[in-house]
Amino acid sequence: MTTAALKKFLVLYLVPTDVLAGWAKTDPAIKKTEEEKMRAGWQRWMGDHAKIIRATEAAGKTKSVTASGIGDIKNEIMLYSIVEAANHDEAAKAFANHPHLAIPQSSIQVMEVRALGPQ
């Protein structure tokens, strides 16, 4: 019996830019405590889901490239992951209780990634 090939998914961790700007103004003692709590939750989640995670990295400053030129912009993408799962629903359900969602107005988007061209 053969096992179906796993599909690849791009996961975007989003936070509105105004929420991040407000967080930057938070009292350092409060910020430290909350960041430690968030880090512990992330480490637990990452350990529990290590089998599906292929990469997780922070997103940096953004440049927009258009026919009119190149410029600096801000977007809501904080981090991204590449994960593998049997299907889209399974991939999305893995993030249902993710610690990132404790950030006000945050969200996580999960989209299938497919190779271009014939396979």
Side-chain angles (χ1 to χ4, degrees):
M1 189 160 108
T2 61
T3 304
L6 294 176
K7 296 180 178 186
K8 189 184 300 185
F9 299 88
L10 172 64
V11 180
L12 300 177
Y13 304 84
L14 306 167
V15 178
T17 56
D18 59 329
V19 170
L20 288 177
W23 179 247
K25 298 174 187 173
T26 301
D27 176 273
I30 294 171
K31 192 187 285 190
K32 182 180 178 191
T33 300
E34 290 300 312
E35 286 174 349
E36 287 173 356
K37 181 178 167 185
M38 177 71 69
R39 193 173 302 113
W42 264 85
Q43 290 173 346
R44 258 190 320 277
W45 189 94
M46 293 289 280
D48 291 346
H49 295 84
K51 289 183 180 180
I52 69 167
I53 300 165
R54 299 299 162 253
T56 296
E57 298 176 318
K61 293 182 179 181
T62 305
K63 298 264 184 203
S64 174
V65 180
T66 67
S68 301
I70 299 171
D72 295 331
I73 64 166
K74 291 185 184 262
N75 64 35
E76 296 186 349
I77 301 170
M78 184 178 212
L79 304 155
Y80 78 92
S81 291
I82 300 294
V83 301
E84 289 182 336
N87 59 57
H88 206 165
D89 287 336
E90 181 181 299
K93 286 177 186 175
F95 293 86
N97 294 308
H98 194 284
H100 176 78
L101 299 174
I103 300 170
Q105 301 177 50
S106 66
S107 63
I108 297 173
Q109 295 179 2
V110 180
M111 64 197 84
E112 186 173 352
V113 178
R114 297 181 312 267
L116 295 176
Q119 292 296 311

